[in-house]
Structures are given as structure tokens and as C-alpha cells.
Amino acid sequence: MPWKKWEIGRIVFFGIYLSVSIFDILANPKPVWEREAKSMKVWGGHTPTNESDQNLLQSLLDNPSVRRLGFHPEWLGLLHYKLVGKETYKSQVKGSLFFFDEDGENNPTKELEATLRSFLLETPIPEGQMHPICSFPARYQFIKRMFGVDLQHKNGIRCERFEQWKESLNVDSVSIVFASYYMMAPASVFGHTMVKFNQKSNSENDSEILDYAVNVAADVPETDPFRYAFYGLFGGYKAKYTLFPYYLKVNEYNDLENRDLWEYRLSLKQNELDLLLTHLWELSRGEFDYYFLNANCGTFLVELLDVVKPELNLKSKLGAVVSPVDTIKIYTNTDGLVVSEKYRPSLYSEIVNLVKEMDPEEKKVFWKILDEQPNQTLDFTSLEPEGKKIRTALVLDAYLLTNRYQKSKSQNLTESQNINFQKALEARSKFPSVYDTTLLKEIPTPPEGSHPKSRVSLGGGSSNFGNFLEWKYRFAYHDLLNQSKGSPPNSELVFFDAALRQYEGKRLEFTSFTLVRLVSLTPYNAISKHWSYLLDLGIQTALIKNRQNVWFREGMEIEEKPWQRKQVPNLDVAFGWTFSDEFSKTKERWGSVSFLMGFKSQFHPFWDFGGRYGPNVQTIYQKEWGNWKLLGGIQFQHYVSQTPENLLLSSISLRYLFSDVTELRLEMKQDPVYQEANGSFLYLF
């Protein structure tokens, strides 16, 4: 199964990381970590034996500025203190290796005093550990600048490990990297951000994948999806900073997960680069509480940049809920922060663009090769159809990339496929490299061009139950009718979507609430055999047959209502395939159609057995052109032990885009009992 293969791949990558990571202190055995944690608390209470150091320490501690410097913005930033009450602080960093004082997590002044004591440590450092000045070079630079003392040179302290680490990185500049959305893994549906250290020599030699990058992500153990969602939303995971060769993430994101990468080079001065590196060295010793919605990879990097460039105050621009793409918008909207932008397409994106470049005859040859190559060896020296000329190099480039892509997805290639790959390489070597894939890229809209995540709408319509007005609010992020620019295409990622409706002459009613809705309709084809899925969890309005007894008395007229509208908990799960003409030069001439099979369950005491459930089949059609998008669906639903047992439901929606933040939608729905048509105006913010 793909999930299992991904898990194996992740384990392999983690193993490689451990062998090459330059954060060598992270590779220390756990007992060494425990010993150092105990040592740090001892060092935080250290009193020098040398008389001159004793006098120096006493003068520093007696300095009235000590308490003031404990609340200096730079010190608070370096230790990530957050004001949680009147003059009450708490550090967002967790871990015994980050604080010298027992109460350092909550007391900036005590931690400053303990740090001063530890920096005057003169006793031999246990094997495998470092002098406090070497473990916290950013703190040391702050103390050196504020107190005007150079404790490192005074006591002859050498930080060889840190200096070698810094020198090996040879950082010329820094980029923020955004990995696009990946709907096949829960941890990746929001996208992901990380920091890349750019080396000038690699940039000049077009070998930037040899750079290093820093990732901050939740340390998630093997668990089921429900606990994963619960802990991710309400707390339970810890995030850590890790360093790794950039090519590992390029391979993981670009090749294995079909995720495009966007690199944003930042304008940082040399002293800011130095502070960034020294602070990251320190942060490797701690961890953070991780939350999907407001303490994730994006927010951590914003806080990191605020330490380096506090004058920007980027954190003040974060909302209550922050996705990684929101932070990209903050960077690009900050004057002078982003100096250049680079797009690195996924392996699959490169293949799609090469196939789109082909003429009809070239496409026939390409698809014929893919159909035949699993079971027979091919002759790549005579690909041209009789009497016709084709760009053989273009076809070979597309085939070689496809073979590489399929191999990254599965190691179970046939012997013929492996032989054909070698033969194709030999044939391609005879042609000049005129079809450089970098010249054929169809650059998509970057993530900062996506629509805002929240939405309100006002609408109304008519139904066989009467006319109505409707108000809707969606917390986040994207549905199938929203414009796809900069957002995950053919996908929905919806959280906390609520609707209120008032029928003519009736009271206002709460009609629906979507807790979470995930939809991925990735096209299935001979290159990428992706399956589609749908998950919908929340509350819906259902029509329940009225079972109450009605007593007729002489002279009394009682109106019998055959159906009642009730709000019921709802769970939908479906899987299937999507088909699209995504390889045409004119994007999706006929759109895409999805076929899904699933299961639906709803609960209410008015139903027999307290609920209804059963299988369903459905088809979804979507087509976007210009500012318009059409979305339609037909679903056949069977319920076990309920009346009616079988339902045929259909819907059609049309969206017109006025701007990136305003939409008009027209929708019609029908089932055996209920029909409605409505229109609405939407504002995104």
C-alpha cells in the first residue's frame, strides 16, 4: 500500500539524516543528554573559584541593569518568552537542555543570572558536552554586547564544534521554502515551510540541492487518524528543529509526493545571517508545543525571523489561525524582505508539461511506449511513425522522467522496464539537449496568489418547503468552487463551515456545520495511478418521516406534517478515481469527472435503531474556464433498514468570480422529497 511505502521511505530518510546531520549534538546517546541536563542546572548555580572571576561575576550580578536586561526585547526573543499575564512570562521552548535555572522557563531574570554564572565555568567539561558559551553562542553575543565583557577570550574557551559546523554550512544567503499541498497525507494537507541555507558556490554551479535546510515539524508517533487529529488540534505533539541535506527534501517532496517547491530568498545582512545560525544552533537543544492551526512550521519560522529582524514584528501580522501559506503572504507583502523567488516543479509537473508540449503524433508514440514497455523490450532508435517526423528527444525526455517517477513510487518494475530505461538513455544521448525541461515549464500561480482562507456569504432561494434566506461562514480554507490559483487543485480542505437558514414564516434554524471536509480528486492516468477520496464529518439537515401519533377529535383540525427537518451528525467516506484531460495544451478542455464509492451514516433518535447508514456511489464533474466554474454531482444512496431505502440525489453549481475575494454562486439540488434553487454572494477575507 502507498502509505506503507511512504512510512518505509520516511524511516530510510530518517536513517540517512542521522548519519549525515551536522547537528552532531543531536546524535548523542540519551544518557549523555540526561547528564548534560543535570550539569546545566549545576552550572547555572556555579560560583567561580578564581578570585578575579568571582569579583567579575559579583559585579555583573550587582549591576542594576541585570534585572532590566532580563526583560530586554532581545533577551526575551532569544529565549522565546511570551507575556502570559501582568509581568508574567513563559518560554515557548520546552526541554531541560535549554535552561540553566530550574525556573528559567518562567523567569527571564533568573535565567539571565544563571547564564552569566555558567559562562564563567572553568572546570573541565565532561566528554561529549560543550562549554555553555559554545552551546549558546547567541546568548553569549548578547551578554558580551550588553555587559562589555569578552568571557570567551578571557578564559581561553574554544568552540571548535560550533565553528566547524558554521564553516561547513558556508551560508551566503537564506531562503524560505514552501512545499505545496499534499492531500494524500494528513500532515501535509496545509503545505509546509522550511529554511534553506544557500551556498554561493552551489548557486553558481547550479547544484543548489547540495545546500542544507532546517526543518521544524511535529514529532508524530505511529497512531490512528482520529488521535492524530485530536492531538494536532488540541495539543500533544512536540516540534523540533532539525538540519539535513536539501536534496533529501527535494527527493521526498518533488519526486515521491508530487509537490512543487517555491523558494523565497530573503534580504538578510551578514550580522543577521550570523544571528540566525547561532540561534538555530541553540534551538536544536529545545522543542515546542505543536498545534495544527496556530503553532506550526509556518509560525515557528515567523518567530525565528522576528529574532533576527525584530523591527519587522512579523508575528503581529499573524491571525488566530495560521497556515504555512499565510506566512508566505506575510513575507512577500513585507517591503524589501523577499529579494527573489524560484519555482522548482515536481517530477510529475515536469512530465505533464513535456506531454503538453507534444503534437498529437508525438503523444501517440509516447502513450504507445508506456503501454508496451512493461512486458517487452523496445527499440528506441526508430520511434518515428512511417512518413512522419517527430521530436524524438522530447518523447524520450518524457519517457525517462516517467520511468524515474514510477520507480520512485514502486521498486517493483519489470525487467523489461529496467532494460528499456537503459536503452532510452543510450538513444537520448545521441540527441542535443534542445528540450531542456526548464524551458517548458508552465509556471503555476505561486502560493501567495491564493485566495483568503475565511469566507462569509449571504444568499437566498426557493424550495418546495418555501422561500428562504441563508447566511454562511467558513473558517478555512478552500472548496471545489473556489478558484484553484495558488491552492490545491481538484481538492477541498474545509474546517468549521456553518450555515443558518430562515424559511418564510419560520424560525431561524441551524442547518449545517462541517467540522472537517477533505476531498482529493487527483486525476488517474497511465503515469500516476492516484486514487481519489472524500471525508466529511459534521452536522447536516435530514428530512425524517413524521412518526408521531395524531389524535383527531370532533371539531378539531390538525395539519399533518409528513416530514420534519432535523439536524443530525453525519459521516461520509468515499474512495475512487478521477479522470481528466490534463495533458492537453488547452487545460482540461472537457474538465474532470470522478467516480467514487463510499459509506454514509447519520444518527437521530427518530430513526429506527437510532440512525441510518449504507453504501453509496457518486460521480462528480467539474470544469473551470476563466472566471467561471461548473460543479455537478449525482449520487445513489442506499440505507439499510430505513424507508426510503434508496435515494437518488443530484446537484449542480455555477460560480462566477468577480475578484480574488468576491464570488457569485448559483446552485440547484434535488432528491425524491426535497428540491431547491438558490443564489449567494461570497466575500473571502
Side-chain angles (χ1 to χ4, degrees), residues 376-420:
Q376 58 181 296
T377 55
L378 304 175
D379 181 9
F380 291 96
T381 60
S382 57
L383 294 179
E384 293 183 351
E386 187 175 346
K388 297 181 180 179
K389 294 289 291 181
I390 66 170
R391 292 171 290 181
T392 304
L394 177 61
V395 175
L396 288 173
D397 281 342
Y399 168 74
L400 289 169
L401 286 178
T402 300
N403 189 285
R404 177 180 151 202
Y405 171 80
Q406 292 176 337
K407 190 171 184 178
S408 71
K409 293 294 182 182
S410 171
Q411 299 300 321
N412 300 322
L413 298 184
T414 65
E415 183 179 353
S416 296
Q417 287 175 302
N418 291 322
I419 294 174
N420 288 334

CSV table of all heavy atoms in Angstrom, one decimal, residues 376-420:
chain,number,residue,atom,x,y,z
A,376,GLN,N,7.6,-5.9,-22.7
A,376,GLN,CA,8.5,-6.2,-23.8
A,376,GLN,C,9.6,-5.1,-23.9
A,376,GLN,O,9.4,-3.9,-23.5
A,376,GLN,CB,7.7,-6.3,-25.1
A,376,GLN,CG,7.0,-5.0,-25.5
A,376,GLN,CD,6.2,-5.2,-26.8
A,376,GLN,OE1,6.8,-5.3,-27.8
A,376,GLN,NE2,4.9,-5.1,-26.7
A,377,THR,N,10.7,-5.5,-24.4
A,377,THR,CA,11.8,-4.5,-24.7
A,377,THR,C,11.5,-3.8,-26.0
A,377,THR,O,10.9,-4.3,-26.9
A,377,THR,CB,13.2,-5.2,-24.7
A,377,THR,OG1,13.1,-6.2,-25.8
A,377,THR,CG2,13.5,-5.8,-23.4
A,378,LEU,N,11.9,-2.5,-26.0
A,378,LEU,CA,11.5,-1.6,-27.1
A,378,LEU,C,12.8,-1.2,-27.9
A,378,LEU,O,13.9,-1.2,-27.4
A,378,LEU,CB,10.8,-0.4,-26.6
A,378,LEU,CG,9.5,-0.7,-25.8
A,378,LEU,CD1,8.9,0.6,-25.2
A,378,LEU,CD2,8.5,-1.4,-26.6
A,379,ASP,N,12.5,-0.8,-29.1
A,379,ASP,CA,13.6,-0.2,-30.0
A,379,ASP,C,13.4,1.3,-30.0
A,379,ASP,O,12.5,1.8,-30.7
A,379,ASP,CB,13.5,-0.8,-31.4
A,379,ASP,CG,14.6,-0.3,-32.3
A,379,ASP,OD1,15.5,0.4,-31.7
A,379,ASP,OD2,14.6,-0.6,-33.5
A,380,PHE,N,14.3,2.0,-29.3
A,380,PHE,CA,14.1,3.5,-29.3
A,380,PHE,C,14.8,4.2,-30.4
A,380,PHE,O,14.8,5.4,-30.5
A,380,PHE,CB,14.6,4.0,-27.9
A,380,PHE,CG,13.8,3.6,-26.8
A,380,PHE,CD1,14.2,2.5,-26.0
A,380,PHE,CD2,12.7,4.3,-26.4
A,380,PHE,CE1,13.4,2.1,-24.9
A,380,PHE,CE2,11.9,3.9,-25.3
A,380,PHE,CZ,12.3,2.8,-24.6
A,381,THR,N,15.4,3.5,-31.3
A,381,THR,CA,16.1,4.1,-32.5
A,381,THR,C,15.2,4.4,-33.6
A,381,THR,O,15.5,5.1,-34.5
A,381,THR,CB,17.3,3.2,-33.0
A,381,THR,OG1,16.7,1.9,-33.4
A,381,THR,CG2,18.3,3.0,-31.8
A,382,SER,N,14.0,3.8,-33.6
A,382,SER,CA,13.0,4.1,-34.7
A,382,SER,C,11.6,4.3,-34.1
A,382,SER,O,10.7,3.6,-34.3
A,382,SER,CB,13.0,2.8,-35.6
A,382,SER,OG,12.6,1.7,-34.9
A,383,LEU,N,11.5,5.4,-33.5
A,383,LEU,CA,10.2,5.8,-32.9
A,383,LEU,C,9.3,6.5,-33.8
A,383,LEU,O,8.1,6.5,-33.6
A,383,LEU,CB,10.5,6.7,-31.6
A,383,LEU,CG,11.2,6.1,-30.4
A,383,LEU,CD1,11.4,7.2,-29.3
A,383,LEU,CD2,10.4,4.9,-29.9
A,384,GLU,N,9.9,7.1,-34.9
A,384,GLU,CA,9.0,8.0,-35.8
A,384,GLU,C,8.1,7.1,-36.6
A,384,GLU,O,8.5,6.1,-37.1
A,384,GLU,CB,9.9,8.8,-36.7
A,384,GLU,CG,10.8,9.8,-36.0
A,384,GLU,CD,11.6,10.6,-37.0
A,384,GLU,OE1,11.6,10.3,-38.2
A,384,GLU,OE2,12.2,11.7,-36.6
A,385,PRO,N,6.8,7.5,-36.6
A,385,PRO,CA,5.8,6.8,-37.4
A,385,PRO,C,6.2,6.9,-38.9
A,385,PRO,O,6.9,7.8,-39.3
A,385,PRO,CB,4.5,7.5,-37.2
A,385,PRO,CG,4.7,8.3,-35.9
A,385,PRO,CD,6.2,8.6,-35.9
A,386,GLU,N,5.8,6.0,-39.7
A,386,GLU,CA,6.2,6.0,-41.1
A,386,GLU,C,5.7,7.2,-41.8
A,386,GLU,O,4.5,7.6,-41.8
A,386,GLU,CB,5.5,4.7,-41.8
A,386,GLU,CG,6.0,4.5,-43.2
A,386,GLU,CD,5.5,3.2,-43.8
A,386,GLU,OE1,5.0,2.4,-43.1
A,386,GLU,OE2,5.6,3.1,-45.0
A,387,GLY,N,6.6,7.9,-42.5
A,387,GLY,CA,6.3,9.1,-43.2
A,387,GLY,C,6.1,10.3,-42.4
A,387,GLY,O,5.7,11.4,-43.0
A,388,LYS,N,6.3,10.3,-41.1
A,388,LYS,CA,6.1,11.5,-40.3
A,388,LYS,C,7.3,11.7,-39.4
A,388,LYS,O,8.0,10.8,-39.0
A,388,LYS,CB,4.9,11.3,-39.4
A,388,LYS,CG,3.6,11.1,-40.2
A,388,LYS,CD,2.4,10.9,-39.3
A,388,LYS,CE,1.1,10.8,-40.1
A,388,LYS,NZ,-0.1,10.6,-39.3
A,389,LYS,N,7.6,13.0,-39.1
A,389,LYS,CA,8.7,13.4,-38.3
A,389,LYS,C,8.2,13.8,-36.9
A,389,LYS,O,7.2,14.5,-36.8
A,389,LYS,CB,9.4,14.6,-38.9
A,389,LYS,CG,10.1,14.3,-40.3
A,389,LYS,CD,11.4,13.4,-40.1
A,389,LYS,CE,12.5,14.2,-39.4
A,389,LYS,NZ,13.7,13.3,-39.2
A,390,ILE,N,8.9,13.3,-35.9
A,390,ILE,CA,8.5,13.7,-34.6
A,390,ILE,C,9.8,14.2,-33.8
A,390,ILE,O,10.9,13.9,-34.3
A,390,ILE,CB,7.8,12.6,-33.8
A,390,ILE,CG1,8.8,11.5,-33.5
A,390,ILE,CG2,6.6,12.1,-34.4
A,390,ILE,CD1,8.3,10.4,-32.6
A,391,ARG,N,9.6,14.9,-32.7
A,391,ARG,CA,10.7,15.3,-31.9
A,391,ARG,C,11.1,14.1,-30.9
A,391,ARG,O,10.5,14.1,-29.8
A,391,ARG,CB,10.4,16.6,-31.1
A,391,ARG,CG,10.2,17.8,-32.0
A,391,ARG,CD,9.6,19.0,-31.3
A,391,ARG,NE,8.2,18.8,-30.9
A,391,ARG,CZ,7.5,19.7,-30.3
A,391,ARG,NH1,8.0,20.8,-29.9
A,391,ARG,NH2,6.2,19.4,-30.0
A,392,THR,N,11.9,13.3,-31.4
A,392,THR,CA,12.3,12.1,-30.7
A,392,THR,C,12.8,12.4,-29.3
A,392,THR,O,12.6,11.7,-28.3
A,392,THR,CB,13.3,11.2,-31.5
A,392,THR,OG1,12.7,10.9,-32.7
A,392,THR,CG2,13.5,9.9,-30.7
A,393,ALA,N,13.7,13.4,-29.2
A,393,ALA,CA,14.3,13.8,-28.0
A,393,ALA,C,13.2,14.2,-26.9
A,393,ALA,O,13.4,13.9,-25.8
A,393,ALA,CB,15.3,15.0,-28.2
A,394,LEU,N,12.2,14.9,-27.4
A,394,LEU,CA,11.1,15.3,-26.5
A,394,LEU,C,10.4,14.1,-25.9
A,394,LEU,O,10.1,14.0,-24.7
A,394,LEU,CB,10.1,16.2,-27.2
A,394,LEU,CG,8.9,16.7,-26.4
A,394,LEU,CD1,9.3,17.5,-25.2
A,394,LEU,CD2,8.0,17.5,-27.3
A,395,VAL,N,10.1,13.1,-26.8
A,395,VAL,CA,9.4,11.9,-26.3
A,395,VAL,C,10.3,11.1,-25.4
A,395,VAL,O,9.8,10.6,-24.3
A,395,VAL,CB,9.0,11.0,-27.6
A,395,VAL,CG1,8.4,9.7,-27.1
A,395,VAL,CG2,8.1,11.8,-28.5
A,396,LEU,N,11.6,11.0,-25.7
A,396,LEU,CA,12.5,10.3,-24.8
A,396,LEU,C,12.6,11.0,-23.4
A,396,LEU,O,12.7,10.3,-22.4
A,396,LEU,CB,13.9,10.2,-25.5
A,396,LEU,CG,13.9,9.2,-26.6
A,396,LEU,CD1,15.3,9.3,-27.3
A,396,LEU,CD2,13.7,7.7,-26.2
A,397,ASP,N,12.7,12.3,-23.4
A,397,ASP,CA,12.8,13.0,-22.2
A,397,ASP,C,11.6,12.7,-21.3
A,397,ASP,O,11.7,12.4,-20.1
A,397,ASP,CB,12.9,14.5,-22.4
A,397,ASP,CG,14.3,15.0,-22.8
A,397,ASP,OD1,15.2,14.2,-22.5
A,397,ASP,OD2,14.4,16.1,-23.3
A,398,ALA,N,10.4,12.8,-21.9
A,398,ALA,CA,9.2,12.5,-21.1
A,398,ALA,C,9.1,11.0,-20.6
A,398,ALA,O,8.7,10.8,-19.5
A,398,ALA,CB,7.9,12.8,-22.0
A,399,TYR,N,9.6,10.1,-21.5
A,399,TYR,CA,9.6,8.7,-21.1
A,399,TYR,C,10.6,8.5,-19.9
A,399,TYR,O,10.3,7.8,-18.9
A,399,TYR,CB,10.0,7.8,-22.2
A,399,TYR,CG,10.3,6.4,-21.8
A,399,TYR,CD1,9.3,5.5,-21.4
A,399,TYR,CD2,11.6,6.0,-21.7
A,399,TYR,CE1,9.6,4.2,-21.0
A,399,TYR,CE2,11.9,4.7,-21.3
A,399,TYR,CZ,10.9,3.8,-20.9
A,399,TYR,OH,11.2,2.6,-20.5
A,400,LEU,N,11.8,9.1,-20.0
A,400,LEU,CA,12.8,8.9,-19.0
A,400,LEU,C,12.3,9.4,-17.6
A,400,LEU,O,12.5,8.8,-16.6
A,400,LEU,CB,14.1,9.5,-19.4
A,400,LEU,CG,14.9,8.8,-20.5
A,400,LEU,CD1,16.0,9.7,-21.0
A,400,LEU,CD2,15.4,7.4,-20.1
A,401,LEU,N,11.7,10.6,-17.7
A,401,LEU,CA,11.2,11.2,-16.4
A,401,LEU,C,10.0,10.3,-15.9
A,401,LEU,O,9.9,10.1,-14.6
A,401,LEU,CB,10.7,12.6,-16.7
A,401,LEU,CG,11.8,13.7,-16.9
A,401,LEU,CD1,11.1,15.0,-17.2
A,401,LEU,CD2,12.6,13.8,-15.6
A,402,THR,N,9.2,9.8,-16.8
A,402,THR,CA,8.1,8.9,-16.3
A,402,THR,C,8.6,7.7,-15.7
A,402,THR,O,8.1,7.2,-14.6
A,402,THR,CB,7.2,8.6,-17.5
A,402,THR,OG1,6.7,9.8,-18.1
A,402,THR,CG2,6.1,7.7,-17.1
A,403,ASN,N,9.6,7.1,-16.3
A,403,ASN,CA,10.2,5.9,-15.7
A,403,ASN,C,10.8,6.2,-14.3
A,403,ASN,O,10.7,5.4,-13.4
A,403,ASN,CB,11.3,5.3,-16.6
A,403,ASN,CG,11.8,4.0,-16.2
A,403,ASN,OD1,12.6,3.8,-15.2
A,403,ASN,ND2,11.4,2.9,-16.9
A,404,ARG,N,11.5,7.3,-14.2
A,404,ARG,CA,12.1,7.7,-12.9
A,404,ARG,C,11.0,7.9,-11.9
A,404,ARG,O,11.1,7.5,-10.7
A,404,ARG,CB,12.9,9.0,-13.1
A,404,ARG,CG,13.5,9.5,-11.8
A,404,ARG,CD,14.3,10.8,-12.2
A,404,ARG,NE,14.3,11.7,-11.0
A,404,ARG,CZ,14.6,13.0,-11.1
A,404,ARG,NH1,14.8,13.5,-12.3
A,404,ARG,NH2,14.6,13.8,-10.1
A,405,TYR,N,9.9,8.6,-12.3
A,405,TYR,CA,8.8,8.8,-11.4
A,405,TYR,C,8.1,7.5,-10.9
A,405,TYR,O,7.9,7.4,-9.7
A,405,TYR,CB,7.7,9.7,-12.1
A,405,TYR,CG,6.4,9.9,-11.4
A,405,TYR,CD1,6.3,10.8,-10.4
A,405,TYR,CD2,5.3,9.1,-11.7
A,405,TYR,CE1,5.1,11.0,-9.7
A,405,TYR,CE2,4.1,9.3,-11.0
A,405,TYR,CZ,4.0,10.2,-10.0
A,405,TYR,OH,2.9,10.4,-9.3
A,406,GLN,N,7.9,6.6,-11.8
A,406,GLN,CA,7.2,5.4,-11.5
A,406,GLN,C,8.2,4.5,-10.6
A,406,GLN,O,7.7,3.8,-9.7
A,406,GLN,CB,6.8,4.6,-12.7
A,406,GLN,CG,5.7,5.3,-13.5
A,406,GLN,CD,5.4,4.6,-14.8
A,406,GLN,OE1,6.2,3.8,-15.4
A,406,GLN,NE2,4.2,4.8,-15.3
A,407,LYS,N,9.4,4.6,-10.8
A,407,LYS,CA,10.4,3.9,-10.0
A,407,LYS,C,10.4,4.5,-8.5
A,407,LYS,O,10.6,3.7,-7.6
A,407,LYS,CB,11.8,4.0,-10.6
A,407,LYS,CG,12.8,3.0,-9.9
A,407,LYS,CD,14.1,2.9,-10.7
A,407,LYS,CE,15.0,1.9,-10.0
A,407,LYS,NZ,16.3,1.8,-10.8
A,408,SER,N,10.2,5.8,-8.4
A,408,SER,CA,10.2,6.4,-7.1
A,408,SER,C,8.9,6.0,-6.3
A,408,SER,O,8.9,6.0,-5.1
A,408,SER,CB,10.2,7.9,-7.2
A,408,SER,OG,9.0,8.5,-7.7
A,409,LYS,N,7.9,5.6,-7.1
A,409,LYS,CA,6.6,5.2,-6.4
A,409,LYS,C,6.7,3.7,-6.0
A,409,LYS,O,6.0,3.3,-5.1
A,409,LYS,CB,5.4,5.5,-7.3
A,409,LYS,CG,5.2,6.9,-7.6
A,409,LYS,CD,4.7,7.6,-6.3
A,409,LYS,CE,4.4,9.1,-6.6
A,409,LYS,NZ,4.0,9.8,-5.3
A,410,SER,N,7.4,2.9,-6.8
A,410,SER,CA,7.4,1.5,-6.6
A,410,SER,C,8.7,0.9,-7.1
A,410,SER,O,9.2,1.3,-8.2
A,410,SER,CB,6.2,0.8,-7.3
A,410,SER,OG,6.4,-0.6,-7.2
A,411,GLN,N,9.3,0.1,-6.3
A,411,GLN,CA,10.6,-0.6,-6.7
A,411,GLN,C,10.3,-1.9,-7.5
A,411,GLN,O,11.2,-2.5,-8.0
A,411,GLN,CB,11.4,-1.0,-5.5
A,411,GLN,CG,11.8,0.2,-4.6
A,411,GLN,CD,12.6,1.2,-5.4
A,411,GLN,OE1,13.5,0.8,-6.2
A,411,GLN,NE2,12.4,2.5,-5.2
A,412,ASN,N,9.0,-2.2,-7.8
A,412,ASN,CA,8.7,-3.4,-8.4
A,412,ASN,C,8.5,-3.3,-9.9
A,412,ASN,O,7.5,-3.6,-10.5
A,412,ASN,CB,7.4,-4.0,-7.8
A,412,ASN,CG,7.5,-4.3,-6.3
A,412,ASN,OD1,8.5,-4.7,-5.9
A,412,ASN,ND2,6.4,-4.0,-5.6
A,413,LEU,N,9.5,-2.6,-10.6
A,413,LEU,CA,9.5,-2.5,-12.0
A,413,LEU,C,9.9,-3.8,-12.7
A,413,LEU,O,10.7,-4.6,-12.1
A,413,LEU,CB,10.4,-1.4,-12.5
A,413,LEU,CG,10.1,0.0,-12.0
A,413,LEU,CD1,11.0,1.0,-12.6
A,413,LEU,CD2,8.6,0.4,-12.3
A,414,THR,N,9.3,-4.1,-13.8
A,414,THR,CA,9.6,-5.3,-14.5
A,414,THR,C,11.0,-5.2,-15.1
A,414,THR,O,11.6,-4.2,-15.3
A,414,THR,CB,8.6,-5.6,-15.7
A,414,THR,OG1,8.7,-4.5,-16.7
A,414,THR,CG2,7.2,-5.5,-15.1
A,415,GLU,N,11.5,-6.4,-15.5
A,415,GLU,CA,12.8,-6.5,-16.1
A,415,GLU,C,12.8,-5.7,-17.4
A,415,GLU,O,13.8,-5.0,-17.8
A,415,GLU,CB,13.2,-7.9,-16.4
A,415,GLU,CG,14.6,-8.1,-16.9
A,415,GLU,CD,15.0,-9.5,-17.1
A,415,GLU,OE1,14.2,-10.4,-16.7
A,415,GLU,OE2,16.1,-9.8,-17.7
A,416,SER,N,11.7,-5.8,-18.2
A,416,SER,CA,11.6,-5.0,-19.4
A,416,SER,C,11.7,-3.5,-19.2
A,416,SER,O,12.3,-2.8,-20.0
A,416,SER,CB,10.3,-5.4,-20.1
A,416,SER,OG,10.3,-6.8,-20.5
A,417,GLN,N,11.1,-3.0,-18.2
A,417,GLN,CA,11.1,-1.6,-17.9
A,417,GLN,C,12.5,-1.1,-17.5
A,417,GLN,O,12.9,-0.1,-18.0
A,417,GLN,CB,10.2,-1.3,-16.7
A,417,GLN,CG,8.7,-1.3,-17.1
A,417,GLN,CD,7.8,-1.2,-15.8
A,417,GLN,OE1,7.9,-1.9,-14.9
A,417,GLN,NE2,6.9,-0.2,-15.9
A,418,ASN,N,13.2,-1.9,-16.8
A,418,ASN,CA,14.6,-1.5,-16.4
A,418,ASN,C,15.5,-1.6,-17.7
A,418,ASN,O,16.4,-0.7,-17.9
A,418,ASN,CB,15.2,-2.5,-15.4
A,418,ASN,CG,14.5,-2.3,-14.0
A,418,ASN,OD1,14.2,-1.2,-13.6
A,418,ASN,ND2,14.3,-3.4,-13.3
A,419,ILE,N,15.3,-2.6,-18.5
A,419,ILE,CA,16.1,-2.7,-19.8
A,419,ILE,C,15.8,-1.5,-20.7
A,419,ILE,O,16.7,-0.8,-21.3
A,419,ILE,CB,15.9,-4.0,-20.5
A,419,ILE,CG1,16.4,-5.2,-19.7
A,419,ILE,CG2,16.5,-4.0,-21.9
A,419,ILE,CD1,16.1,-6.5,-20.2
A,420,ASN,N,14.5,-1.2,-20.8
A,420,ASN,CA,14.1,-0.1,-21.7
A,420,ASN,C,14.6,1.3,-21.2
A,420,ASN,O,14.9,2.1,-22.0
A,420,ASN,CB,12.5,0.0,-21.7
A,420,ASN,CG,11.9,-1.2,-22.5
A,420,ASN,OD1,12.6,-1.7,-23.4
A,420,ASN,ND2,10.7,-1.5,-22.2
